[in-house]
Amino acid sequence: MTGSAANNGVENGSAAPSPNDRDLGEQAILKRVEKYEPFTLETGVPIYYTSNVALVDHGRVSDVIIAPVVGITYAPKLQKTLYGEFTLRQQFFYYQDFSSFNFASFDALAGLVYYVPQMHNLTLRANIDYNRLTGTDNFDDFFSNVSLGLSAEIPIRIG
């Protein structure tokens, strides 16, 4: 058994030379350069269950809600760990049995996100959210609101 065969083809941390090296030619190893992409598109179809459709004390009824959502976020990098955050999101809430409760929710958010890597990737977020509720088949609002959101989050990696 030769020395290179005993070392599984490795010598000094590199591939051991072989008589066929000239046949392979010169090879370049390329490394992907990470580039920050500021746009995020989100879409999904969450399904919810409620045990009290009309939010009443007596005569409660349950239903399933299908709520397709689509949104886009633009998060420009302002500094090393400081980002802007601008989101537009539209979601529809369709009740399976009680369709008279169907509605749509539009959100426009603007704010800042600050990441603190030295504190377990703590995320600090502040944004203003304009929310407007309408029917699913018209743009007549029956509720609108502006709110200030402040949050602190620590992500926990699983796996």
Side-chain angles (χ1 to χ4, degrees):
M1 184 182 282
T2 64
S4 61
N7 294 328
N8 295 324
V10 176
E11 287 183 7
N12 299 325
S14 297
S18 78
N20 296 326
D21 283 353
R22 282 180 274 131
D23 295 340
L24 297 176
E26 187 175 319
Q27 296 183 14
I29 298 175
L30 302 177
K31 182 179 178 184
R32 182 181 299 249
V33 176
E34 295 294 327
K35 181 182 169 194
Y36 178 69
E37 299 289 340
F39 285 96
T40 302
L41 178 66
E42 67 173 302
T43 186
V45 184
I47 299 173
Y48 303 104
Y49 170 80
T50 179
S51 61
N52 191 354
V53 172
L55 302 174
V56 295
D57 290 330
H58 303 291
R60 295 179 184 177
V61 292
S62 61
D63 203 352
V64 172
I65 306 163
I66 298 174
V69 61
V70 64
I72 188 164
T73 297
Y74 174 63
K77 188 174 188 175
L78 304 175
Q79 292 181 0
K80 186 177 179 182
T81 60
L82 178 66
Y83 296 81
E85 190 172 58
F86 305 94
T87 300
L88 296 175
R89 184 181 306 117
Q90 179 71 47
Q91 188 165 17
F92 297 91
F93 295 83
Y94 297 108
Y95 290 76
Q96 183 177 2
D97 297 327
F98 297 94
S99 61
S100 61
F101 287 102
N102 291 353
F103 69 97
S105 176
F106 171 78
D107 286 281
L109 295 98
L112 295 171
V113 180
Y114 183 67
Y115 297 98
V116 188
Q118 58 272 34
M119 294 181 68
H120 304 287
N121 288 322
L122 172 67
T123 302
L124 302 172
R125 186 180 316 269
N127 60 35
I128 294 186
D129 179 5
Y130 169 73
N131 176 250
R132 180 177 180 198
L133 303 181
T134 64
T136 56
D137 56 354
N138 62 55
F139 293 110
D140 299 329
D141 67 329
F142 60 85
F143 176 82
S144 64
N145 186 38
V146 175
S147 61
L148 173 65
L150 303 172
S151 70
E153 307 164 9
I154 295 181
I156 297 174
R157 181 173 291 199
I158 298 174

